């Protein structure tokens, strides 16, 4: 039903993986509630698996927080960490972003299009340019895209 929180779940998953919202009308800066206590950390942690490999990604957006010493606020910079199945951890934003694309097999734009099909945004796929549709379907069906398998598992759990 409308208002059940599906978009919030897709935003959390998309932000955890790619550092962006699942739709164009939202921004990662919107993910911290204006009602959150100043000392409450804002982050998302997603554990996902591909085959028998389990990964964990943590991300936090940029936001203002109280200074640890003195008065006033300071900027908490955006952070990301990816833990591989072997325990190795990478924390540089650009490296995490590149690793996620490598693991998932697709960039954020294609992930949004595929993930949001389940959200009722099938129309976007249908109205995409022919070359965009070909690329999406090629990745989905010709290479048995990792993301379609992940979303299938997510759908079964929801």
């Amino acid at each position: 039903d409308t208002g059940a929180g599906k978009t919030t779940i897709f935003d959390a998953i998309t932000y955890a993986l790619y550092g962006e919202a699942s739709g164009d009308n939202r921004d990662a800066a919107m993910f911290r509630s204006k009602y959150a206590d100043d000392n409450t950390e804002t982050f998302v942690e997603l554990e996902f698996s591909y085959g028998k490999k389990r990964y964990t990604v943590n991300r936090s957006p940029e936001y203002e927080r109280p200074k640890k010493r003195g008065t006033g606020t300071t900027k908490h910079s955006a952070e990301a960490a990816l833990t591989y199945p072997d325990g190795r951890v990478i924390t540089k934003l650009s490296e995490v972003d590149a690793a996620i694309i490598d693991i998932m097999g697709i960039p954020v734009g294609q992930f949004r299009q595929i993930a949001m099909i389940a959200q009722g945004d099938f129309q976007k796929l249908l109205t995409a340019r022919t070359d965009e549709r070909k690329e999406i379907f090629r990745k989905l069906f010709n290479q048995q895209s990792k993301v379609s398998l992940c979303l299938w598992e997510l759908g079964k759990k929801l």
Side-chain angles (χ1 to χ4, degrees):
D1 291 343
T2 300
K6 297 179 296 295
T7 300
T8 301
I9 292 170
F10 282 116
D11 274 341
I13 292 169
T14 306
Y15 183 75
L17 293 171
Y18 295 100
E20 297 184 26
S22 66
D24 294 332
N25 60 344
R26 290 172 309 287
D27 184 79
M30 299 169 63
F31 292 158
R32 179 169 170 87
S33 171
K34 65 182 180 182
Y35 302 109
D37 181 86
D38 287 343
N39 294 309
T40 300
E41 290 183 49
T42 299
F43 67 94
V44 64
E45 179 177 299
L46 176 68
E47 187 176 300
F48 65 100
S49 59
Y50 177 68
K52 295 185 181 201
K53 295 180 180 179
R54 188 171 297 265
Y55 302 86
T56 303
V57 63
N58 295 276
R59 282 196 194 258
S60 64
E62 181 178 283
Y63 62 92
E64 291 289 320
R65 64 166 178 76
K67 289 183 177 180
K68 293 185 180 180
R69 294 187 199 115
T71 60
T73 62
T74 187
K75 187 185 301 182
H76 170 87
S77 297
E79 298 176 337
L82 174 65
T83 304
Y84 283 88
D86 62 6
R88 182 172 43 110
V89 179
I90 57 173
T91 58
K92 189 173 180 184
L93 277 173
S94 62
E95 290 177 9
V96 172
D97 293 343
I100 290 294
I101 291 171
D102 185 54
I103 293 165
M104 297 299 290
I106 56 172
V108 66
Q110 288 181 336
F111 179 82
R112 283 183 185 134
Q113 288 180 304
I114 295 164
M116 298 313 279
I117 290 172
Q119 176 82 339
D121 256 349
F122 191 65
Q123 186 67 26
K124 281 186 182 177
L125 178 63
L126 294 177
T127 59
R129 291 192 326 259
T130 302
D131 58 327
E132 291 173 340
R133 276 198 312 267
K134 283 180 184 176
E135 181 64 16
I136 292 166
F137 285 128
R138 184 184 68 75
K139 291 216 178 236
L140 271 175
F141 301 112
N142 290 348
Q143 296 181 4
Q144 296 182 344
S145 175
K146 299 172 186 180
V147 74
S148 63
L149 297 173
C150 292
L151 290 173
W152 173 257
E153 289 299 317
L154 173 65
K156 291 191 311 188
K157 291 179 182 178
L158 293 177

